[in-house]
Amino acid sequence: MIRCLPMLVLVAALACAAPLHADQLDNLAQDFWTWRASEMPVSTDDIPRLQRPSDWVPDWSPAAGIRYQRELEQFEARWKSMDSSKWPVARQVDYRLIGSAIARVRWELDITRAWQRNPLFYKDQTIGAYFSLLLPPPPFDATRTREIVNTLASFPKTLQDAKSNLSQPVAPFASLTVDLLKGVRPALLESVRELKPLLDKNNSGNIDATTEKAIVALEAYRDWLVQYLPGMAPQTAVGRPGYLFFLKHVALLPYTPEQLLETGRQEWGRAVSFQTYEEHRNANLPQLPIFKTTEEQVARERADELAVRRYLEEKNILSVPSSMQHYLHRGMPAYLKPLLDLDAGEADDFTSSGRLNENGVRYITAPRPDLGYFMLADAKEPRTGIVHEGVPGHYFQLTLSWSHPDPIRRHYYDSSANEGIGFYAEEMMQEAGLFDNSPRSREIIDNFMRLRALRVEVDVKLALGEFNIQQAADYLHATVPMDSATALDEASSFAMAPGQAISYQVGKSQIMNFLAEARRQQGDKFSLRVFHDYLWLNGNVPISLQRWEYLGMKDDLERVDALPEKSQ
């Protein structure tokens, strides 16, 4: 059981507890993370980012797919060959982490099978891979320029491989791909045109010809999808057995789909009630104005980020290391802006384990009333986004976790824990008084709560085949409510990545129960700051495992193990 330790002492204690030499598990972990950095597909999720090898480009040739499956079997065999039952709890937690990480690859390769079912997967391995290289702010040195050009040059082969791999393409995903790629030529040309002056001249000489070949390949891929679209299957759902595999083996969540639905319904009612109370209380107050310029929003966010950090320390909520860099808004670069219409990814840079000395960045578009749901919230009140995405949310949490003395926990990621902390931070900071000076800001947080609760129902019903994408989008549009474009984007993303949308609400609920048990067990010795320091440092670790290590309570994990197998 972990007792009350300040952040720096906790880090030192964990470092001392780490093995003095590599063992079977450490060797497996090192081999797996090295492999995973090359094999892991590009996605639009902003959490699972590993540092790629130098000059890496995606490889999803049919031969690579077969090789990945064979290599996965070898990792599975190595993991299963270990008997961890007599290990210290911390090492058993690490063992379960590697098992979860390996199971995630099985989930991707054999259950969701995006590489064989989802044409959008190859949009991510091309445009998404290019987009991810543009996210860190300039400069674009020789190495970075070469990687950009090489990635553009990889498009034709990746898209040719897509035609070989997509043995069971799904019609709704294909339709979305076709719609996105209708404007690919002007979007990619504009992006490269704006980028060229910033690139290293000695390594970008052939970028125009390379871009043209990339565009031709994308257009040919779009036309190929149009040709075969009438014969594609309509069903996007992963199905109950597959979803249970995710809950049990990947996310380590102790809930059945029915229990998840009940949690979502209860939390939705709670969120609607809170928002109703707040709106009633604020009936005579003016609405929040939208910033007049990007510069005004950037300046306000910078000041608000500093204020949030001070608030965490002054209220004894969470330790803020002096080495922690900042989470900042920047105007959307002209080379990124056209890619947003291609759904290339999240416009933020949380840095990485090798760039901890750099600021995190959120790129924003000019404030105006017709922005999407989350961008509009930022354009009124940056703190609502700061606490989830920046401080103490994702950027802050990931930076701490990437500094973890245990390399297994440094590299592991889990959306239920990561997004759970981000969502937990919103309500926690509201209850801690951060938004007391802005009642209308509290309404935004309450509406965020409403959305995250609805995401549970949408995720489960999409995965089980009870919603199609349009039904899910209409439901979000009417019930959150949110703009129709964001609703469709959310529904499409959740259909493609089942299990991700539940992570916000379920992770937050787990954290709140975790806190309640810690306070009950520790009584007067309980410290919110110490609890949060442990939670944030281990923020990549599923809450069921954190609960076992911190409190000695294995009940959630036992419920996970009792879930039925996917074959039952």
Side-chain angles (χ1 to χ4, degrees), residues 243-311:
Y243 201 58
L244 281 168
F245 176 91
F246 175 82
L247 297 174
K248 180 182 179 76
H249 297 288
V250 181
L252 305 181
L253 289 175
Y255 309 109
T256 64
E258 292 71 27
Q259 290 170 328
L260 292 173
L261 285 172
E262 184 60 28
T263 295
R265 292 188 191 105
Q266 290 177 351
E267 290 297 322
W268 181 77
R270 177 174 176 267
V272 171
S273 298
F274 282 15
Q275 185 177 355
T276 301
Y277 306 149
E278 192 66 52
E279 289 172 345
H280 182 79
R281 175 187 177 188
N282 304 335
N284 297 321
L285 297 179
Q287 295 293 331
L288 291 172
I290 297 173
F291 292 113
K292 293 181 175 61
T293 65
T294 299
E295 293 73 21
E296 183 184 8
Q297 181 175 339
V298 167
R300 172 70 66 81
E301 190 278 339
R302 180 183 291 269
D304 283 349
E305 195 260 5
L306 291 171
V308 171
R309 292 161 72 107
R310 287 194 301 270
Y311 201 87

Side-chain angles (χ1 to χ4, degrees), residues 3 11 37 41 106 138 241 296 303-304 330 345 386 395 399 421 456 486 523 529 546:
R3 295 298 182 187
V11 171
R106 177 63 66 193
E296 183 184 8
D304 283 349
R330 286 192 179 193
I386 289 170
Y395 169 71
T399 298
I421 287 176
V456 176
T486 303
R529 183 184 187 125
Q546 292 196 43

Side-chain angles (χ1 to χ4, degrees), residues 171-184:
F173 295 154
S175 294
L176 288 167
T177 309
V178 170
D179 287 342
L180 282 174
L181 294 182
K182 285 178 181 177
V184 69

